[in-house]
Amino acid sequence: MTYDEVAVPVGARADVDTEDDDGRTTVTLTVTGLQPDREFGAHVHTRRCGPDPADAGPHYQNQADPAATPDSPSTDPAYANPQNEIWLDFTTDDSGNARATSTVEWEFRDDEAESVVIHDHHTMTAPGEAGMAGDRLACIDED
Ligand SMILES: [Cu+2]
């Protein structure tokens, strides 16, 4: 599902592959046909994609930030980091293709990690902005 047809044209493809085993999870995102030579952010989010980019909800966190609320998602680097969330930032090549992979030392809780959202830029890490990566450009449901 695309929300920005310049960065993520109709006809672009994105596939998410998730493997978990023995308390460890690897997620691989493969994209083709996006805007070439461009940085994107991407993360696993908690809810399924919908017509509104916000429908996918906040990032999945292994240990939930107690300060986060529905209106104010976690931006504390103690929780919003690539060991406690799945970050899949990538940079497309001159054909608009890229692959990103992330491995973490935990497994998803059932039905709480439902989508991958592609964002406007790479993910920030400083306090108060950790986990933020700009507008939501596209969304892929995990199957
Ligand atoms: Cu995100």
Side-chain angles (χ1 to χ4, degrees):
M1 189 164 303
T2 178
Y3 309 120
D4 180 325
E5 294 186 4
V6 174
V8 185
V10 174
R13 281 198 56 84
D15 290 296
V16 180
D17 180 61
T18 303
E19 291 179 31
D20 50 36
D21 184 39
D22 254 346
R24 170 180 294 199
T25 302
T26 297
V27 182
T28 302
L29 172 66
T30 306
V31 299
T32 58
L34 274 60
Q35 198 170 27
D37 298 316
R38 188 193 197 285
E39 294 186 350
F40 292 87
H43 323 102
V44 172
H45 284 243
T46 57
R47 295 202 295 271
R48 292 182 73 79
C49 307
D52 184 332
D55 291 343
H59 294 177
Y60 183 89
Q61 295 190 319
N62 181 43
Q63 295 189 309
D65 181 348
T69 69
D71 293 330
S72 172
S74 178
T75 54
D76 178 350
Y79 295 92
N81 65 62
Q83 289 77 44
N84 192 46
E85 301 182 349
I86 305 280
W87 292 10
L88 295 160
D89 290 13
F90 59 90
T91 302
T92 51
D93 66 15
D94 59 10
S95 301
N97 304 332
R99 171 171 290 182
T101 189
S102 175
T103 299
V104 292
E105 301 298 322
W106 38 266
E107 295 184 26
F108 291 122
R109 297 178 293 275
D110 287 347
D111 303 324
E112 292 185 41
E114 300 282 65
S115 60
V116 170
V117 173
I118 295 175
H119 292 265
D120 185 52
H121 56 72
H122 280 175
T123 310
M124 298 186 285
T125 56
E129 61 180 29
M132 298 171 78
D135 286 349
R136 299 178 180 203
L137 306 182
C139 185
I140 307 111
D141 281 325
E142 295 226 49
D143 41 26

